[in-house]
Structures are given as structure tokens and as C-alpha cells.
Amino acid sequence: MKKSFIFITMTIFVLQGCAGIPNGDNEDLSAEYGPEHPLDYVSDTDNTNPDSNTKGNNFGYSRNKANEPNLDDKMTMHDVIDRQRIANGISNLLVQSPEVAEAGVLITNEYALVAFRPNNEEDEDAVKHVKMMTESMVPYYYVTVVTDNPNMIEDIEAFKGMDARSGDGHTALEKTVEDMREMTKQPKTSKRRADNNHM
């Protein structure tokens, strides 16, 4: 009787393993059925690379109170915007578009300036598409000015080292913006309020 009980118990364990009955190991289940939540699929990093930077895939959170002693009361909206990262992101996405062969992007405190070389010079919609893509990636109060004149890529590049809080070079920057508007008619997009204030 004892031997048959041991035999039956062993048989059950063997059959359970062969039948693939879940044993409660969450790692095995997630590997077979995928993440527990749909948002777990969202990722901007290559998980196959163990050295990949996973910071960009994390949520950001901060909490403050108005009467905290260590608050930076001199901070403005411009201080929380990473202008270099925005410029890199926009130029990277623009050249992935079939309409753009090369793009230069300058992000200032108020302007998103884009000069690009179109893949097809006869494509009349390229300027509008580039402007719409850029507007979708910058804060609403930014004024976006674009030109399909590739010579302006180097012109806006000349401002890349300029201090955003410095008054030096501001006149030259405004002249560059004016030149871009003169050489390329700015297409109307759904975002008009800020542009109308600067026209």
C-alpha cells in the first residue's frame, strides 16, 4: 500500500511536468504569455542589449510645496526644457521622413528653427509637413519657422553655442528668422495663435 502511494504520487508529479500545468512561477508565465499590463510593451530601449540606457523608459515624478525652503525661485519654464535634446530628437525624426534628406534644427527660448534639404524640390507639401512635425514636438508657445533652403542649415548652426539668456546675437537671430520667412512662405497649420503674434 505504501509503495503504491509513493508510485501514484511520483506519477502525478511526472504527469504535471509533462502536461505543462502551471506551477505558480510568474517568470515562466510572463515569458510565455507576455507582460501583465499592456503598458509593459512600451519601450524606447533595446532590451537585448544589457548595456542599454533604460533611463528614457522610466516615468518622471516630482513633488514640491510652495513654502519649501530649498525651492529655486529663479527657475523659469525655459530652465526645464532640454533644448539640445529637443533639437536632436526633431532633426533625427525629420531625416527619417521620405521628404527630408538633411535637416538642421535650432531651439531657442522662443523659436524652433528648421532648415532642411528636401528629397524632392518639387514637393510643395514638404515645408508644411516639416512644420507640423516640428510643432508637435515643441511647447505650444514656441514659434516654428521652417525653410527648404539648405543654405540656411549653416546659418542657424552659427547660433548653436549661444547662451539662451544672453542678449548678444539676438539681433542677428531675429534677422535670420526674418530671412527664413522671406525665402520660404510659412504654411498655415492648426497652430496659429503664437505665429500670428509674431507675424
Side-chain angles (χ1 to χ4, degrees):
M1 180 78 177
K2 200 173 190 184
K3 286 184 180 180
S4 51
F5 176 74
I6 293 172
F7 177 75
I8 291 171
T9 305
M10 293 294 290
T11 305
I12 289 172
F13 282 130
V14 171
L15 290 175
Q16 182 181 5
C18 293
I21 297 173
N23 60 6
D25 188 346
N26 288 336
E27 264 187 23
D28 292 343
L29 287 175
S30 64
E32 185 173 351
Y33 298 110
E36 294 179 323
H37 193 281
L39 283 178
D40 292 342
Y41 283 106
V42 178
S43 176
D44 61 358
T45 57
D46 181 7
N47 292 331
T48 60
N49 180 2
D51 298 326
S52 66
N53 182 4
T54 57
K55 277 188 174 181
N57 203 35
N58 295 341
F59 292 167
Y61 175 77
S62 177
R63 180 175 178 174
N64 295 103
K65 293 183 179 178
N67 56 359
E68 285 183 19
N70 296 324
L71 282 181
D72 185 356
D73 57 354
K74 295 180 181 178
M75 182 172 284
T76 67
M77 179 67 78
H78 304 300
D79 295 320
V80 299
I81 294 174
D82 189 336
R83 288 177 285 273
Q84 185 59 51
R85 188 166 184 183
I86 293 173
N88 288 345
I90 293 173
S91 62
N92 190 315
L93 288 173
L94 287 177
V95 295
Q96 292 180 46
S97 162
E99 299 169 309
V100 180
E102 182 182 6
V105 179
L106 178 70
I107 302 296
T108 74
N109 272 352
E110 61 177 322
Y111 291 111
L113 305 180
V114 180
F116 71 99
R117 182 189 312 278
N119 271 324
N120 180 3
E121 293 183 5
E122 297 176 6
D123 186 355
E124 297 177 0
D125 293 328
V127 173
K128 184 172 184 177
H129 293 162
V130 166
K131 185 173 183 181
M132 291 172 68
M133 287 176 68
T134 304
E135 285 178 344
S136 71
M137 291 181 274
V138 295
Y140 187 81
Y141 60 85
Y142 267 69
V143 177
T144 301
V145 182
V146 300
T147 180
D148 56 356
N149 183 339
N151 295 328
M152 292 300 294
I153 294 176
E154 292 185 6
D155 287 13
I156 64 173
E157 184 179 359
F159 296 98
K160 70 180 179 181
M162 186 171 158
D163 186 341
R165 291 179 171 172
S166 170
D168 298 339
H170 190 71
T171 304
L173 178 63
E174 289 294 338
K175 177 69 169 67
T176 300
V177 172
E178 185 181 328
D179 290 344
M180 291 174 68
R181 284 182 168 144
E182 285 179 2
M183 66 182 60
T184 305
K185 183 178 178 182
Q186 299 301 299
K188 292 292 182 184
T189 63
S190 57
K191 176 182 170 281
R192 292 187 180 141
R193 189 172 68 193
D195 286 346
N196 288 341
N197 291 339
H198 288 77
M199 295 300 275

